[in-house]
Amino acid sequence: MRSDQIRIAGIIAENVVSTLERLDGDVLAVLARDAAITGLMRELVAVMPTRFDGVLAAACNRYLATLPDQGWAGPRVETVSMVDGSVTMRTG
């Protein structure tokens, strides 16, 4: 079960970072991108398993809130699909 949670967290984290890249128009450096995915996964796995998409969105946003300190301010996660891990973002 834990490996499924890690896999799902990875999918969600990848979707968050990919969406941020599309919205910002900037492609993160490989190391920064990998660090963002790792940080998102850590937050997501900490709240799994859950039946509530809001818990997953809040976990993503906890990590994203640390990024402005690293020069990456941007949109926040509004919803996370419990079906496929897709995300909806909102600006600021």
Side-chain angles (χ1 to χ4, degrees):
M1 176 89 113
R2 192 69 171 169
S3 65
D4 284 342
Q5 293 169 357
I6 292 169
R7 183 182 59 78
I8 292 165
I11 291 168
I12 295 168
E14 180 71 38
N15 288 336
V16 170
V17 171
S18 294
T19 300
L20 288 172
E21 288 174 330
R22 280 193 306 275
L23 290 173
D24 287 346
D26 292 328
V27 177
L28 295 173
V30 173
L31 292 177
R33 187 177 205 286
D34 288 346
I37 289 171
T38 300
L40 284 160
M41 287 179 66
R42 186 174 28 253
E43 290 291 336
L44 288 161
V45 169
V47 299
M48 289 178 155
T50 182
R51 297 180 309 159
F52 303 104
D53 64 339
V55 171
L56 297 174
C60 291
N61 289 330
R62 268 192 305 280
Y63 179 75
L64 293 177
T66 69
L67 295 181
D69 295 337
Q70 300 172 25
W72 188 22
R76 297 293 182 243
V77 176
E78 188 170 287
T79 61
V80 175
S81 169
M82 300 292 281
V83 176
D84 64 2
S86 61
V87 297
T88 303
M89 306 288 285
R90 62 180 153 75
T91 57

